[in-house]
Each structure stands twice: as C-alpha cells, then as structure tokens.
Amino acid sequence: MVEARGVHKSYAGVEVLKGVDLTVVRGEVTCLIGPSGSGKSTLLRCINHLEKHDAGELRVDGDLVGYELRGNKLYERNDKQICAERAQIGMVFQRFNLFQHLTVLDNVTVGQVKVKGIDPERARAKARELLARVGLDAKERHYPSQLSGGQQQRVAIARALAMEPKLMLFDEPTSALDPELVGEVLDVMRDLAASGMTMIVVTHEMGFAREVANTVYFLDGGVIEESGAPADVLGAPKSERLRGFLSKVL
Amino acid sequence: MAAPEDPVKVVPVRHYGQWAGTVVALVLVAMLVNTLFSKVPSGQFVCHVLNGAKRCHETSEWRFSWNIVFHYFTTSEVLHGLVLTILLTVIAMAAGITIGVGLAVMRLSSNRLLSMTAWCYTWFFRGTPVLVQLFFWEFISILYKHIRIGIPFTHVWFLHLNPVTLFTPFVAAAIALGLNEGAYMSEIARSGLISVDEGQSEAAMSLGMTRAQTMRLVVLPQAMRVIMPPTGNEVISMLKTTSLASTIGVIELFGATNNISANNYEIVPLLLVASLWYLIVTTVLSIGQFYLERRFARGALRTPPPTPLQRMRRDVRGVLSKFRTRRGVAGATS
C-alpha cells in the first residue's frame, strides 16, 4: 500500500529524514515510534504530500506521491491531482483541527459534499452513521469547542472516514488528550483496525502498538533504527537506542 | 457563630469614588441637555395693546434653532443627499472589501512578486491623503483623453469610452474611496487570515480540498470573526468620509445641507441636520455590526454573548429576584 525508498526531507538546511525505507501492507496497522524530532510526523505528512519530500521514492498504492513518471522524466503533479490523491488518504491530527465554525455534523459532511460532490442529504446520512460508529451521534449539533478533547478526536476520525479513504494516517492522535480520554480514542482506532483499514499510526502508546500493530518502526535521528513485529521490536529490542527509548516511555 | 435562623448581615463595599463620579457625570449631562434645549432672546419684539397700554416683550427662540433643523430634516434635497451618501458608502466598502481580501491573499502568497505588488498598493494608497486621491480621479480625464479596453500593447480595442462622461463626480468618488479603502481593508483581512490556526488549512487540505476551497470554506469564515469588528469601524468611518466627496461636486448629505445653508445662511442648523442623519445611520450600522459579529462568532465561543434585549431581560429578572430575596431575609429576621 505504501512504499518508501530512501526518502529524504530537510527544513532550512536541517535534514529531518535521512533516507527512510518503509513498507505498509494493505489492511495492516503500522506504528511509528521514536523520540520527538525523530521525523515520524514528517514522514507521515510526506505520505499525503502536506510536505514535499526532497529525494527518494514514495509510493501509495503503486502511484508516486506528488509526481508522475512518464518516459524517464518525473512530472510534478498539479494541485488538482494532488487534491485527488489526498482525498483518498485520511489524516487525524494531534490537535484534532476540527473546523471550529462548523457543527460536528457539518465537519463530517463538508468534505463529502465539496470534494467528492456527494448529495448533501446522502452525505449527512453517512455522517450520522459514522458519528454513531464513534459514539457521538447525540452531539451532531454541537460545535467542536463544546466537546471534550476525546470527543473532538473521535469526530476528527469520523471526518476522515467520511471520505472513504484507502489509508488512514494518525499523527499522535492521543498526545493532546487528558489521560482518562485516551482510551475512548484508542477504542475507536482498535475497531477501525479490526475492520481491515490500512493504518499508519505515529504514537507514544506502546500498549496500543503492541496490541494492534502488525509492524512497528522505530525512528531515531531521521532513519529507521529497527522494525518488525511488535513483540520483537518492543519485547526484544536489539539496539541500544531503542532500549533507551523504551525504558523512558514504558 | 450565628444561628441559621439569624442570618449574618452582609455589608457590601461602598465605592465612594464611583458615587462622586456619578454625581459629576449627572451634573455634566444635565448641563448639556440644558444648553441643547435652552432658549435665547431673538432680538424681535411682539407688542400688543392691553387696556389702552401698549406692551412689548422680546420673543425667545431655541439656541440651536431646532425648529429650523426640524424643518429641513426631511426635505427632498437632504433625503436625496442621504441616499447618495449611503450608496457611496455601500459601493466604496464593497469595492474596498473585495480589493482588500484579494490583496491580503496576495500578501500572504509565497510568490514574492504577488506579495510585493500587494505591499506597494497598500503603501501607495495609505501614503497619500484620500482627499488628494478624490481630486486625482475627478481630474483623470485631463491625463487620459480616451479610455479603451482591449489587448495591451496592440491596437485591438473592444470598448471605447469617453473619460469626461464616464468619470462623473459620483463615479470618481466611488473609485477613489473604494481603492483607498482597499488598502486599509487589506491589512484588516490579512490580520484575520493569519489569526486562523495553520492546522485548519492542513485539515482542509488533507480532506482533498483545493487551495481555493480551503480559503473559502475553512479559513475565511473563521477569519471573519477577527475581520468583522475593525470592518464595522471602517464602514462607519467611510460613511463620514463620503462627505469629502462634496468637494468634487457630489451632492451627498453634507453637500446637500451645505447647498441649502449657502442660500439661507442657517449654517449651524443645517450642520445639525447632517450630523443627526450621520448619527442615525451610524446607530443602525452599529446594531447591524453587533448581530453580524454574533453570527460569525459561532463555534468560537461556548456561549455567545447575550443580545442587548436578552441582557435587559436578565437584568430586570435579576433586580426582581434580588428584591424578593431581600424581602425574604427581612421577613426571616423580623
């Protein structure tokens, strides 16, 4: 589903990703762990082209992200093509980023109507169905500011799912939540994983990674330091750095 | 410890400074009302014969000639001027807001040429007096004898206009005020746009929205909350700035009252006519602004501020309940 080969990314001369290789299989859950500043979020943002990678090859579903290969030239995709790519990849942010001026229902409806051109009535029906799935059908008339962090994040997941994505990206979805609200968001993500959604999750929730992930990647200093099944990576860390990291977070 | 049936009396803090201030303010207001509605000797005498004796006394009149103000308040000349004032305000603000939002988006563009162009526009139109700009557009026909619309640097013209007939005083004023307002609105719109969290546009783009959709559906509606209050200010300011258009021959409200007083020399009463109309329109605009701001605050505040009507109702209820509890306390102690 996602193939990264030697992906590089620098900001203002600082190299954040120094050649990352990653393979995500359809229907599987991949967790990215690592200390802050290790490039986890940047890698995630490169996958839906919120950031442009500088070098390397990044493919989603076989298509190059942001570029098209014709003959032996890479053509940068235009805005419209990039938007079409993004519409198929759902993203959930650390700070929820719900549209503050729209009700919960409108948050889940706006993308369907304005991007996919779905009839508003049908879009609302689908939004209600998804809100019920994340347990928030009673809150559809509320504004985001009237919800708790956990509720907002569940709405954000519903908003992303409304686009019927083939891939879901989670950028530290529980890091901005009060501890007692983490569980409700992880429950929704667990259900989603069980339904067969392909997911890439940047997280500090090692319990979630161990239980739900098929593969865990440990990033440090812009490179993949270690990867494999969660039992191996989290249970029997090989590198000194991963051992150090795990001793701090567990 | 006081027994529950014998409640302790609470003595509120006395704000003596506030009391003194209130008294001073009340006296000043009374003086103002008194002078506004005072009468002065008119210099004219009325005489009548009573029981064979001729008695004369001097008549008095309003210091502020309210009778004359009232007389001219709704004459067709004044009302026509008022319509032009409102029309000019609406046109200039509509142009200003459109130009301003466009310039703000250009200013924030990553394209240096676009952002520099927007900066230069603001620099020029804020840097020269609006009165000078008004005269400039009035006399534009001296600079350009022909106005032709076509393909630049060729001789293909689609439309040929005569600037003398095109740039009537009203059109010149509308263009000058609109372009000038655009410069000020661009700064207001820019402050609104940068006040919206970057995460909002990232979320919009991650849903597959185009840049234009992100701006229109997500960023601008939220920027409006910040843009509205200073824009209301600009509208009210523009309403009064249109009076400058009278200098290039637009007979708007101030021009109309000026014309009348030039004939009858009742300068102050006609200034009052104009001032009262400006005040009335400003009041209506302020009320409109309040409700618009409330609308654009949707979602930003957990509980929107009460409307004046709601606040009044709540205050009345508050006073009533206070009255009731006080009587209840008194009843308990007696």
Side-chain angles (χ1 to χ4, degrees):
Chain A
M1 183 60 124
V2 180
E3 281 279 330
R5 291 287 161 263
V7 171
H8 284 260
K9 171 74 191 172
S10 315
Y11 292 108
V14 180
E15 205 171 25
V16 183
L17 296 179
K18 301 171 182 168
V20 171
D21 294 341
L22 173 114
T23 306
V24 175
V25 178
R26 185 185 302 272
E28 290 198 343
V29 177
T30 305
C31 281
L32 304 180
I33 62 170
S36 57
S38 59
K40 314 180 293 288
S41 292
T42 306
L43 178 60
L44 208 62
R45 293 160 63 86
C46 283
I47 292 172
N48 74 348
H49 215 247
L50 277 181
E51 307 283 355
K52 241 188 224 175
H53 55 287
D54 305 327
E57 199 181 297
L58 190 54
R59 287 175 185 275
V60 174
D61 228 5
D63 294 327
L64 287 172
V65 174
Y67 298 92
E68 197 178 353
L69 188 67
R70 270 182 276 154
N72 57 353
K73 279 186 185 156
L74 275 181
Y75 290 88
E76 211 172 328
R77 289 187 198 269
N78 63 29
D79 278 1
K80 211 174 158 188
Q81 291 167 321
I82 288 172
C83 289
E85 276 184 358
R86 284 198 191 118
Q88 299 182 24
I89 304 173
M91 183 148 187
V92 174
F93 299 86
Q94 182 178 357
R95 304 242 14 118
F96 330 133
N97 295 348
L98 288 180
F99 304 134
Q100 298 293 322
H101 62 304
L102 299 179
T103 60
V104 164
L105 187 68
D106 288 341
N107 262 283
V108 187
T109 313
V110 65
Q112 300 182 65
V113 175
K114 300 294 181 182
V115 177
K116 296 179 84 179
I118 293 172
D119 167 64
E121 211 39 64
R122 268 185 55 207
R124 273 193 285 274
K126 184 170 179 68
R128 291 204 172 94
E129 189 186 305
L130 285 164
L131 285 172
R133 188 166 157 193
V134 299
L136 286 171
D137 38 339
K139 301 280 187 187
E140 63 169 61
R141 287 168 170 279
H142 286 60
Y143 285 97
S145 61
Q146 297 165 322
L147 302 181
S148 74
Q151 291 171 331
Q152 289 192 52
Q153 195 60 298
R154 278 144 67 198
V155 174
I157 294 173
R159 175 176 69 177
L161 289 178
M163 302 300 287
E164 299 186 329
K166 55 187 179 186
L167 168 69
M168 284 284 283
L169 308 175
F170 293 84
D171 190 1
E172 303 197 25
T174 57
S175 295
L177 296 179
D178 289 338
E180 83 269 22
L181 302 178
V182 169
E184 60 188 64
V185 172
L186 291 183
D187 285 344
V188 168
M189 290 169 63
R190 216 171 272 133
D191 287 348
L192 194 57
S195 75
M197 174 64 75
T198 314
M199 294 162 60
I200 305 179
V201 185
V202 171
T203 189
H204 292 293
E205 295 292 331
M206 295 305 148
F208 177 81
R210 193 190 296 268
E211 181 198 340
V212 180
N214 300 96
T215 315
V216 174
Y217 284 85
F218 172 62
L219 263 92
D220 194 17
V223 290
I224 304 275
E225 196 69 31
E226 216 167 302
S227 65
D232 300 335
V233 174
L234 301 174
K238 289 195 267 304
S239 68
E240 193 54 52
R241 282 204 247 176
L242 179 52
R243 268 198 291 278
F245 173 71
L246 289 177
S247 72
K248 276 180 215 145
V249 295
L250 284 179
Chain B
M1 274 290 279
E5 64 270 13
D6 184 21
V8 176
K9 200 171 177 230
V10 178
V11 183
V13 177
R14 307 275 187 234
H15 299 278
Y16 297 107
Q18 267 185 23
W19 291 2
T22 309
V23 169
V24 171
L26 280 176
V27 169
L28 287 174
V29 168
M31 284 169 70
L32 182 68
V33 170
N34 183 48
T35 185
L36 276 178
F37 297 101
S38 60
K39 292 204 161 186
V40 288
S42 65
Q44 288 172 342
F45 291 83
V46 178
C47 300
H48 45 93
V49 181
L50 194 70
N51 300 336
K54 189 183 175 196
R55 289 166 183 244
C56 292
H57 64 91
E58 197 177 359
T59 60
S60 63
E61 59 183 16
W62 295 106
R63 184 190 293 275
F64 281 89
S65 312
W66 293 116
N67 51 326
I68 301 172
V69 170
F70 189 74
H71 178 257
Y72 284 104
F73 200 62
T74 50
T75 53
S76 66
E77 243 179 313
V78 169
L79 290 183
H80 187 254
L82 178 67
V83 170
L84 273 191
T85 289
I86 292 172
L87 208 59
L88 202 50
T89 307
V90 170
I91 295 172
M93 278 315 294
I97 290 171
T98 314
I99 294 170
V101 171
L103 285 174
V105 173
M106 281 167 69
R107 237 345 248 295
L108 297 172
S109 159
S110 53
N111 184 321
R112 285 287 297 276
L113 190 72
L114 284 180
S115 80
M116 271 308 284
T117 309
W119 185 87
C120 288
Y121 181 101
T122 309
W123 167 76
F124 181 80
F125 282 95
R126 281 203 310 189
T128 51
V130 65
L131 188 58
V132 174
Q133 290 173 28
L134 270 167
F135 276 102
F136 179 85
W137 287 102
E138 168 67 359
F139 295 117
I140 191 86
S141 52
I142 297 171
L143 285 179
Y144 292 95
K145 302 286 180 233
H146 308 277
I147 291 179
R148 288 175 292 215
I149 295 171
I151 301 168
F153 307 113
T154 66
H155 290 283
V156 184
W157 311 118
F158 306 129
L159 206 59
H160 200 124
L161 301 161
N162 181 358
V164 179
T165 52
L166 182 66
F167 286 96
T168 61
F170 184 84
V171 171
I175 292 175
L177 294 175
L179 290 180
N180 185 263
E181 187 55 34
Y184 289 92
M185 279 307 303
S186 78
E187 290 296 279
I188 292 173
R190 191 166 66 95
S191 70
L193 293 180
I194 57 182
S195 77
V196 179
D197 185 60
E198 214 183 345
Q200 293 288 313
S201 41
E202 279 182 2
M205 291 200 297
S206 79
L207 288 178
M209 286 189 193
T210 61
R211 268 179 238 232
Q213 281 179 321
T214 301
M215 185 54 75
R216 190 164 49 84
L217 300 171
V218 175
V219 178
L220 262 183
Q222 295 187 61
M224 285 308 282
R225 196 171 76 85
V226 173
I227 294 175
M228 273 314 294
T231 303
N233 218 9
E234 289 296 305
V235 175
I236 286 166
S237 166
M238 176 59 76
L239 177 77
K240 291 165 295 168
T241 308
T242 54
S243 62
L244 290 180
S246 64
T247 57
I248 60 168
V250 181
I251 316 296
E252 41 64 72
L253 182 54
F254 185 63
T257 56
N258 255 356
N259 279 357
I260 298 170
S261 60
N263 286 325
N264 65 7
Y265 302 110
E266 297 284 3
I267 294 165
V268 172
L270 280 149
L271 286 179
L272 284 174
V273 169
S275 304
L276 282 176
W277 272 120
Y278 283 120
L279 267 176
I280 289 170
V281 181
T282 303
T283 309
V284 173
L285 287 175
S286 305
I287 294 169
Q289 184 187 357
F290 176 84
Y291 283 95
L292 267 179
E293 276 176 28
R294 223 176 107 85
R295 188 177 181 285
F296 282 111
R298 274 183 323 180
L301 307 166
R302 275 167 220 221
T303 44
T307 63
L309 264 177
Q310 289 171 338
R311 198 179 310 158
M312 215 159 72
R313 245 178 276 146
R314 204 179 50 187
D315 286 351
V316 169
R317 226 178 292 139
V319 168
L320 282 180
S321 70
K322 213 180 202 175
F323 186 63
R324 256 182 242 128
T325 52
R326 201 170 277 173
R327 267 186 28 195
V329 169
T333 47
S334 66

